[in-house]
Amino acid sequence: MASRRHGYANELESDRDDHGVLWQQVTARHGLGRPEFGKVHPGRQRRAMIELLCQVCAGPADRTRDGVLWLLRDHRGDWKGWPDGMGSVDPPVCAPCVTISLRRCPALQRGAVAVRAREFPIAGVRGTLYRQGPLVPAVVGIANLPYEDPKVRWMVAASQIRELRRCTFVATEELLCQV
């Protein structure tokens, strides 16, 4: 039983990532609809994380010798050395999109910092975790899991996680002047 996992009845190869994790199926309707902050399209989020694309415009994320640019909620009080070692489901950003992000994202309006990370390995996934039920899989809840966790075979992922390492803070004013 340990090797069992769940899946879709008519599962496609593209429904799983390179690690064999099942991903949430969603319709792609490019150019339609409006952004819903906090509800990122799983396919777009996954592509942005894999290819290090800006979460706003889907162009290349800003990269310098100091690292790739991330715009994060300010949680410097969470632990010493934050955000080093933090797992992020938010893709990086390009410098021109910093202004629009700070202006339109409700979460960032509550306090944001710009960070450059020199290392940012893919660390796992976030999604709905299930367990085997008597007839159908039963929902356990939302979870973040590393790919090495055996429970990941019972997840329907919605976001990929990158661990941010070797981080330095960047003054947002410097980025706003670059545009």
Side-chain angles (χ1 to χ4, degrees):
M1 284 252 183
S3 64
R4 293 192 60 151
R5 65 181 186 183
H6 66 134
Y8 299 125
N10 296 314
E11 192 172 304
L12 304 172
E13 190 175 323
S14 59
D15 288 332
R16 292 189 184 272
D17 63 20
D18 292 342
H19 300 271
V21 174
L22 187 65
W23 277 75
Q24 186 179 66
Q25 290 182 326
V26 289
T27 304
R29 298 176 47 155
H30 302 289
L32 298 176
R34 297 182 334 162
E36 292 184 53
F37 295 101
K39 292 184 178 181
V40 179
H41 186 281
R44 182 178 172 147
Q45 189 273 355
R46 183 173 156 197
R47 180 174 174 250
M49 289 298 247
I50 290 169
E51 298 179 31
L52 293 172
L53 301 176
C54 175
Q55 63 178 299
V56 178
C57 71
D62 192 72
R63 179 177 260 179
T64 67
R65 64 177 172 25
D66 293 325
V68 173
L69 182 64
W70 261 267
L71 208 51
L72 307 171
R73 276 287 320 266
D74 190 350
H75 289 287
R76 286 179 272 196
D78 283 2
W79 73 80
K80 185 179 167 129
W82 181 92
D84 277 315
M86 180 187 89
S88 178
V89 295
D90 296 316
V93 69
C94 69
C97 287
V98 168
T99 302
I100 193 168
S101 297
L102 293 174
R103 191 177 324 127
R104 294 199 177 166
C105 178
L108 295 177
Q109 289 172 357
R110 294 192 299 263
V113 292
V115 172
R116 289 204 183 272
R118 287 193 174 113
E119 297 174 6
F120 31 83
I122 292 174
V125 285
R126 176 178 178 77
T128 305
L129 184 60
Y130 292 82
R131 64 173 169 74
Q132 189 169 356
L135 298 175
V136 296
V139 174
V140 174
I142 302 299
N144 296 340
L145 293 176
Y147 279 113
E148 300 78 31
D149 191 315
K151 290 184 286 197
V152 80
R153 68 179 173 271
W154 287 96
M155 176 171 279
V156 176
S159 303
Q160 195 157 54
I161 301 170
R162 281 194 179 263
E163 182 181 342
L164 305 183
R165 299 179 186 161
R166 299 183 58 211
C167 299
T168 54
F169 291 98
V170 179
T172 52
E173 298 78 31
E174 289 177 32
L175 298 167
L176 299 176
C177 295
Q178 292 179 15
V179 180

